Amino acid sequence: MLTKRKRYLLKIILPATIIFCCSAVAINTLDRANGAASNPDHSSVASTPTDNLSKPIESVDVRFKDSGHNELPDFQKHVAPLLGRLGCNGRSCHGSFQGQGGLQLSLFGYDFQADHQALLEDGTDRVNLKNPLESLILTKPTDEDEHEGGLRYDKDSWQYNLLQSWIAGGGTNADSIHKLDRLVIEPSELIFSSPSTKFELKAIAHWNDGTVEDVTPLCRFHSNNDSIAKITETGAVSTSSISGDTHVVVSYDNAVVPVPAIHPFAGKPLDTSPAFRGVSKLDMLTQKKWEKLNLQPSQLSDDTMFLRRVSIDITGTLPTSDEIREFVAATDPQKRKNKIDELLQSPAYASWWTTFFCDMTENNTNQLRNIAFDNNLPSQQWYDWIHQRVEDNTPYDEMIEGIVLGISRNSGESYIDFCNRMKDEAANESFSENETMPYYWMRREFRDRETIAISFAHAFLGLRIQCAQCHKHPFDRWSQKDFKDFSKFFSGINIRPYSGGTTPEDKKDYIAILENLDIDPDRKKNPNLQRQLRDAYRKGETTPFGFLTIDSPKLTREELRELQKQLQANKKSKKKKKNKKPSITEATLLGSDTIDLTDHEDVRTPVMEWMKQRDNPFFAKALVNRVWARYFGVGIVDPVDDLNLANPPSNAALLDHLTQEFIAHDFDLKWLHREIANSQTYQLSWVPNSTNEGDRRNFSRAIPRRLPAEVIFDSITFASSNAETNRTFRNTVQNRAISIPGTVTNVKRAKNATDASFALKVFGRSERASSCDCDRSEETSLIQTVYMQNDRDIHLMLTQKDSWLNRMAQQHTAKIQAVNAQKSIDSLNDRIEKMELKKANLKKSDNKKQLQNLTKQIKSLEKTKRGWAAKLATAQESTGELNVQQVVEEAYLRTLSRFPTEEELARCEQHIEEEEDLVKGVTGVLWALVNTKEFIVNH
């Protein structure tokens, strides 16, 4: 509980500083509903006006308005989309896994062959070819009482006429699937000039056979934010009084097309902030979007705000007090650019961004426990390998290539030589010198190719394809076939645990290693085998290690069962075929080519070659978007790991520009950091104006965001450390939270102030347990407030030995000792002076005995005086004048990275002076500062 004194500190001393509490959701509960994802190049998707000179075929609602015509509707082009538009193949109806009323359709209607067979299944009247009007797909949807889904359309409506014409024409389906070349939406951008403005969308389908048709009545429409753009099922778009931007999304066949919808802020056009010069292309692209929205950007941040923000974003470290004073006093117009370059060269940059990549690639200690007898070794080597490349500024594509093509054993390397090398690399910490790093593939969760495909697409492509594992992705192009064909690239990946390999040679080497250690390899006879090997490893002996193998792609059990059925069917039909050993020979890249796997010794190679291609629509874009989100708190596509067609970027031109320039600069990570951090868009203040207070997606101001867990813990340590420690904090990253290699698991209550486990769990450090960037949490909670205000860790860190406060206490104690010593010396001088007068009188009276005694007393006092003089000299050497104003300024600089206002300074000085103990007063001020929202937030 908060003591009365702590409440006083929080509410009275610092009223100008907002206290951090669980209700402070404004700092991180950002509007993510309008997040966007890049629209990768795709032949079937477009939202630009048609360039085909032929007039589109009239829409089906016009052509089938009346009954009694001879046109035969196409199942793929007309019937299946209509069923989707009516909701028949939705999750709550026949598209569910169990279907409805005995009829199961593919979810969202993308398996045309299966849906056609289901509708024409023998023994049902779903489609009655002999008597079309008795077909259930006509009678049920027009009967509100009989149909569980209610009335879907009226009898004799165009929908009824279309389905009736299809049935009457034989209920046919094309022999092959039609390919949609593109879907053009008109208009391609919606800008509402007033709340009464309305738009009617038109969707024109261009098929690869040259057919052009108005398919608007067959499309499905939805809005990413109904409060800004509301769309009806017919494609009519309206807005409200709320200003902002979003997208309306049009779906037809395999096309998903987002259309920007912009409702500018009211009032006359605003002038761009005079301080915003927008000299870079990045700034020009953000400014162009602001002009469309009539948004005025905030002012540029001041030097202290900029320095704190950029130091945290690049290095995960607060700036020192001396650094802030020097930066504010500097007059060099290039000082911000120079500071960014300085930060990018610091060890803390390499450590903090290595943690970023370890999050992205899921460096999870618990997932790597079958590799070595030191459970932490693989995580540490994983971290060290990435750290070396971040420090060397290795091009991003090369670094990822080393992960994607990671191998354990070198060509021709025996198992025993491999184990010897692993032992040496662990002892010499030289693993990072290896060309590749295999641990990404060696996680225990990677037991099947589907799991690997989902994780891989998420980490390196920014795609969430797990929906396509079971059905067509509802918001993207990916079908179940796309998912299965892509996952085949990962079907030959296997982990061999440290119990030895599968070849006879490996097994012999394994036995030889154990015999050399005098360990019985028979687990039945030797139940202590694991413990004995672990003890041998700790002694530095050569022990077995797990390793990765890349084998020929294999069929899954489901595929083998399907193959067995086909073989049995062939036997029954007396077809004689030479049965080959079942294997996978082809796999397909997402949205790209089909690859002959027999041409590649390592089937991962074509995947990496595809990702490195300059026109790859995902690889570079996913990384650029993630890095951008680290600097702005929200991605250009948000969520950052969901680049789907229905989740387009808030500024597509900006994302495309940064992506292409990143590729043009050979995937240079430091170029990307400089380009973002040097932009004036990044350097804007968080303080809003009348137009951009509600902006969460167009970067017209900085969005305050809670610090990451590691930075919070390190910042508390920084705030409490002495000046000498802080000066090296950015360069000495050992034992810092930002450089923890693996995951902190099985967290127990911290036993001392240096144990970060409890704090990191409280503040949501990524546990790297799932293929989602949401695994890291930056939400606020009550337990975080309790931790900051009352936890023993905070008190221990503030008052630890050799801390800033401890040094101050020693200094203050020395000052008191000096005062006391001087008082003692003055008192002794008075006594000696009086005794000298008495001595002079005794000399006149010739009282030798008293004179002798008095002389001894004076000598004793002189000796005591010399002792106090020595203490005074020592105290004076270790003390200096404590200036309360300077102490308060230092407290603000080491926590909030700014100078206190006059009001804050006066209140803090008053509190310190009212305390009997000066150090106790300063401790209260520092405690109150680390409990402010301003401390816990990057702004």
Side-chain angles (χ1 to χ4, degrees):
M1 294 179 61
L2 288 177
T3 63
K4 184 180 293 185
R5 178 172 175 273
K6 286 183 176 180
R7 289 195 204 95
Y8 171 78
L9 288 169
L10 291 174
K11 297 180 180 179
I12 305 300
I13 299 177
L14 305 172
T17 311
I18 303 173
I19 304 305
F20 168 65
C21 64
C22 63
S23 63
V25 294
I27 67 175
N28 61 354
T29 309
L30 307 181
D31 178 14
R32 300 182 181 272
N34 302 330
S38 176
N39 182 4
D41 298 334
H42 188 233
S43 59
S44 67
V45 180
S47 60
T48 55
T50 177
D51 56 359
N52 195 310
L53 298 178
S54 61
K55 184 178 179 180
I57 299 172
E58 281 187 315
S59 59
V60 290
D61 61 335
V62 176
R63 287 158 29 216
F64 290 90
K65 181 178 181 182
D66 300 316
S67 60
H69 45 73
N70 297 323
E71 180 182 350
L72 177 62
D74 184 276
F75 184 77
Q76 177 185 342
K77 293 182 178 181
H78 306 124
V79 177
L82 176 58
L83 296 178
R85 170 74 172 268
L86 296 171
C88 302
N89 49 34
R91 292 188 185 92
S92 60
C93 200
H94 300 287
S96 66
F97 286 112
Q98 67 272 16
Q100 284 283 359
L103 173 61
Q104 181 179 5
L105 300 174
S106 62
L107 187 62
F108 309 118
Y110 290 96
D111 191 338
F112 305 115
Q113 187 67 27
D115 289 351
H116 184 263
Q117 291 176 356
L119 288 170
L120 271 70
E121 183 179 354
D122 292 339
T124 70
D125 285 330
R126 295 164 190 156
V127 173
N128 191 328
L129 299 179
K130 294 180 179 180
N131 191 353
L133 296 181
E134 296 298 320
S135 299
L136 293 179
I137 66 169
L138 293 177
T139 59
K140 276 204 167 188
T142 56
D143 190 327
E144 187 171 1
D145 294 327
E146 184 181 351
H147 188 224
E148 289 185 20
L151 180 68
R152 307 313 298 166
Y153 53 83
D154 293 322
K155 190 174 182 179
D156 296 328
S157 64
W158 70 264
Q159 296 96 331
Y160 183 93
N161 294 334
L162 187 152
L163 292 173
Q164 190 271 333
S165 297
W166 174 68
I167 298 170
T172 60
N173 185 24
D175 295 332
S176 60
I177 295 177
H178 306 295
K179 183 178 180 182
L180 179 63
D181 185 53
R182 65 190 185 279
L183 182 67
V184 176
I185 308 301
E186 300 172 350
S188 60
E189 184 179 61
L190 313 177
I191 299 180
F192 298 94
S193 57
S194 69
S196 61
T197 305
K198 290 180 172 56
F199 293 95
E200 292 283 346
L201 294 185
K202 180 180 287 189
I204 309 297
H206 293 251
W207 300 92
N208 68 339
D209 62 0
T211 305
V212 181
E213 181 180 359
D214 183 343
V215 294
T216 307
L218 300 172
C219 292
R220 290 178 288 116
F221 303 94
H222 79 267
S223 172
N224 286 345
N225 189 336
D226 285 333
S227 63
I228 294 174
K230 188 173 183 178
I231 190 167
T232 67
E233 63 177 15
T234 62
V237 190
S238 60
T239 188
S240 65
S241 59
I242 298 176
S243 299
D245 69 307
T246 186
H247 288 81
V248 292
V249 181
V250 185
S251 302
Y252 173 76
D253 197 75
N254 69 335
V256 180
V257 183
V259 180
I262 298 173
H263 185 191
F265 288 86
K268 69 176 185 177
L270 294 162
D271 295 328
T272 302
S273 169
F276 189 92
R277 297 184 296 275
V279 293
S280 72
K281 182 68 178 294
L282 185 160
D283 292 326
M284 292 177 184
L285 290 171
T286 54
Q287 186 172 343
K288 186 176 181 180
K289 182 68 180 293
W290 300 337
E291 290 171 353
K292 285 186 176 181
L293 281 162
N294 199 24
L295 273 176
Q296 179 175 339
S298 295
Q299 297 293 321
L300 289 178
S301 58
D302 61 31
D303 281 345
T304 57
M305 188 188 299
F306 164 78
L307 182 60
R308 176 185 170 90
R309 185 191 305 168
V310 77
S311 297
I312 291 172
D313 286 339
I314 293 181
T315 68
T317 308
L318 293 175
T320 66
S321 305
D322 293 341
E323 186 181 5
I324 296 169
R325 292 187 181 97
E326 180 181 346
F327 189 77
V328 171
T331 58
D332 183 358
Q334 298 295 315
K335 66 180 182 180
R336 294 194 177 193
K337 176 180 178 297
N338 294 337
K339 177 57 68 175
I340 291 168
D341 290 340
E342 176 190 327
L343 293 172
L344 288 172
Q345 296 302 320
S346 68
Y349 157 74
S351 293
W352 182 225
W353 284 90
T354 296
T355 295
F356 165 83
F357 285 115
C358 284
D359 283 352
M360 189 181 91
T361 55
E362 296 181 71
N363 178 1
N364 187 317
T365 307
N366 275 343
Q367 291 290 336
L368 303 168
R369 293 188 179 274
N370 287 333
I371 299 173
F373 289 100
D374 177 357
N375 290 332
N376 295 319
L377 178 65
S379 283
Q380 183 66 59
Q381 291 182 331
W382 186 331
Y383 178 92
D384 292 343
W385 190 91
I386 293 179
H387 185 278
Q388 184 67 54
R389 280 138 190 86
V390 174
E391 188 175 53
D392 295 342
N393 198 33
T394 301
Y396 174 68
D397 60 334
E398 291 184 19
M399 178 172 70
I400 299 305
E401 184 173 19
I403 297 175
V404 173
L405 301 182
I407 58 173
S408 294
R409 293 165 63 175
N410 298 324
S411 178
E413 186 176 41
S414 69
Y415 182 65
I416 196 166
D417 288 341
F418 162 70
C419 293
N420 281 324
R421 175 168 61 84
M422 289 296 291
K423 180 198 72 171
D424 294 340
E425 287 176 351
N428 303 329
E429 299 183 356
S430 58
F431 179 85
S432 61
E433 298 173 7
N434 290 329
E435 186 176 344
T436 68
M437 192 279 295
Y439 294 137
Y440 171 80
W441 303 102
M442 299 180 72
R443 303 203 302 270
R444 292 192 299 179
E445 65 181 347
F446 279 7
R447 298 183 181 276
D448 56 75
R449 73 192 199 201
E450 290 82 6
T451 301
I452 300 175
I454 291 169
S455 175
F456 187 93
H458 166 265
F460 304 119
L461 305 176
L463 298 175
R464 298 181 181 179
I465 63 172
Q466 55 266 40
C467 289
Q469 186 175 5
C470 301
H471 54 75
K472 166 71 173 64
H473 197 296
F475 305 120
D476 214 334
R477 79 187 75 170
W478 314 122
S479 65
Q480 191 175 16
K481 183 178 184 302
D482 292 329
F483 179 90
K484 289 182 177 180
D485 287 347
F486 180 65
S487 69
K488 291 175 182 178
F489 284 108
F490 313 112
S491 58
I493 294 170
N494 291 292
I495 307 167
R496 306 300 180 193
Y498 43 59
S499 56
T502 56
T503 67
E505 292 80 8
D506 287 352
K507 291 180 179 178
K508 287 180 181 178
D509 283 348
Y510 172 74
I511 298 297
I513 292 173
L514 268 62
E515 288 178 348
N516 186 58
L517 297 171
D518 196 23
I519 295 176
D520 186 349
D522 191 332
R523 293 176 181 272
K524 293 181 179 179
K525 297 180 180 178
N526 183 12
N528 297 319
L529 176 62
Q530 294 293 100
R531 180 181 59 79
Q532 292 171 350
L533 286 172
R534 186 170 288 107
D535 291 342
Y537 173 85
R538 290 170 180 168
K539 293 176 182 178
E541 302 287 348
T542 297
T543 57
F545 281 84
F547 62 96
L548 173 72
T549 64
I550 307 299
D551 303 324
S552 299
K554 296 179 178 61
L555 297 174
T556 63
R557 292 179 180 177
E558 179 184 346
E559 290 168 335
L560 287 171
R561 283 195 296 267
E562 186 63 30
L563 181 63
Q564 190 65 31
K565 289 180 181 178
Q566 292 177 6
L567 292 174
Q568 291 175 354
N570 290 338
K571 288 180 180 179
K572 289 180 180 180
S573 62
K574 298 182 180 180
K575 291 182 179 179
K576 293 184 178 180
K577 286 188 177 182
K578 185 178 180 181
N579 294 333
K580 297 181 179 180
K581 186 178 180 179
S583 63
I584 295 174
T585 58
E586 289 185 341
T588 304
L589 300 163
L590 288 173
S592 189
D593 301 330
T594 297
I595 305 298
D596 185 349
L597 299 181
T598 61
D599 294 338
H600 300 275
E601 183 177 349
D602 187 339
V603 293
R604 301 170 302 173
T605 302
V607 180
M608 191 64 233
E609 291 174 349
W610 167 66
M611 291 200 301
K612 291 177 67 175
Q613 291 174 3
R614 303 252 161 174
D615 61 349
N616 184 287
F618 312 114
F619 179 59
K621 187 170 291 185
L623 189 277
V624 167
N625 187 56
R626 277 190 168 105
V627 173
W628 179 277
R630 274 298 184 103
Y631 282 95
F632 287 88
V634 60
I636 305 174
V637 173
D638 194 70
V640 296
D641 56 352
D642 194 12
L643 274 67
N644 73 69
L645 296 174
N647 186 31
S650 59
N651 192 325
L654 172 63
L655 183 57
D656 289 341
H657 163 70
L658 284 173
T659 301
Q660 293 306 314
E661 287 299 305
F662 179 53
I663 296 171
H665 285 81
D666 298 323
F667 296 89
D668 186 336
L669 289 167
K670 286 190 177 179
W671 173 87
L672 182 59
H673 291 299
R674 289 189 182 97
E675 188 72 5
I676 295 174
N678 277 306
S679 71
Q680 294 205 350
T681 301
Y682 171 73
Q683 296 180 21
L684 292 174
S685 168
W686 67 272
V687 181
N689 55 48
S690 60
T691 70
N692 69 358
E693 187 172 5
D695 180 30
R696 295 289 188 277
R697 53 186 262 122
N698 289 295
F699 321 110
S700 62
R701 66 183 180 96
I703 303 297
R705 56 198 191 275
R706 207 210 70 198
L707 297 176
E710 299 92 333
V711 179
I712 290 175
F713 186 84
D714 282 347
S715 295
I716 298 170
T717 304
F718 180 91
S720 59
S721 297
N722 61 60
E724 291 78 9
T725 299
N726 283 356
R727 290 190 190 100
T728 61
F729 207 64
R730 193 179 289 147
N731 297 322
T732 306
V733 293
Q734 290 182 345
N735 301 320
R736 283 191 54 188
I738 65 167
S739 60
I740 295 174
T743 48
V744 180
T745 55
N746 300 322
V747 176
K748 297 180 180 179
R749 188 67 177 83
K751 295 182 179 179
N752 55 67
T754 60
D755 185 352
S757 301
F758 182 68
L760 295 182
K761 188 172 183 66
V762 166
F763 288 101
R765 182 182 190 259
S766 175
E767 295 182 357
R768 302 167 187 168
S770 66
S771 296
C772 179
D773 283 36
C774 59
D775 202 59
R776 173 180 288 275
S777 172
E778 293 186 3
E779 299 296 320
T780 54
S781 67
L782 178 60
I783 192 173
Q784 294 170 9
T785 307
V786 173
Y787 177 85
M788 293 296 293
Q789 293 183 355
N790 287 320
D791 198 271
R792 182 171 57 92
D793 285 358
I794 301 296
H795 173 73
L796 289 175
M797 280 190 277
L798 292 179
T799 59
Q800 63 185 315
K801 184 180 179 181
D802 210 30
S803 67
W804 177 59
L805 290 172
N806 197 286
R807 289 275 187 94
M808 187 185 302
Q810 293 174 2
Q811 185 179 348
H812 185 57
T813 301
K815 181 179 179 180
I816 295 173
Q817 290 174 345
V819 171
N820 292 336
Q822 188 61 57
K823 288 181 179 179
S824 297
I825 292 171
D826 292 342
S827 176
L828 288 169
N829 284 333
D830 289 341
R831 291 178 62 186
I832 291 171
E833 184 179 353
K834 292 177 180 178
M835 293 175 77
E836 287 290 353
L837 290 175
K838 187 176 181 181
K839 180 180 178 181
N841 293 330
L842 288 173
K843 285 182 179 180
K844 294 178 183 179
S845 63
D846 197 25
N847 189 334
K848 292 182 179 181
K849 189 174 181 179
Q850 289 187 6
L851 182 63
Q852 188 177 9
N853 290 336
L854 190 61
T855 301
K856 287 181 179 181
Q857 291 178 24
I858 292 174
K859 286 181 178 181
S860 177
L861 292 176
E862 290 284 358
K863 184 179 179 180
T864 304
K865 176 183 171 182
R866 287 193 297 272
W868 280 111
K871 291 180 180 180
L872 174 62
T874 301
Q876 288 175 336
E877 288 177 2
S878 59
T879 189
E881 189 64 29
L882 279 176
N883 185 300
V884 175
Q885 178 177 337
Q886 291 177 355
V887 168
V888 173
E889 284 184 355
E890 175 66 22
Y892 268 79
L893 290 172
R894 62 178 42 241
T895 54
L896 309 186
S897 307
R898 66 171 175 84
F899 293 95
T901 64
E902 291 184 3
E903 180 185 359
E904 290 168 337
L905 180 62
R907 289 182 177 274
C908 291
E909 287 179 337
Q910 179 183 353
H911 167 71
I912 293 171
E913 290 170 359
E914 290 175 353
E915 286 283 359
E916 295 181 1
D917 187 311
L918 180 142
V919 176
K920 187 177 179 182
V922 177
T923 302
V925 170
L926 189 63
W927 176 86
L929 286 171
V930 298
N931 274 282
T932 60
K933 186 201 297 185
E934 191 174 354
F935 174 77
I936 212 79
V937 165
N938 188 3
H939 49 81

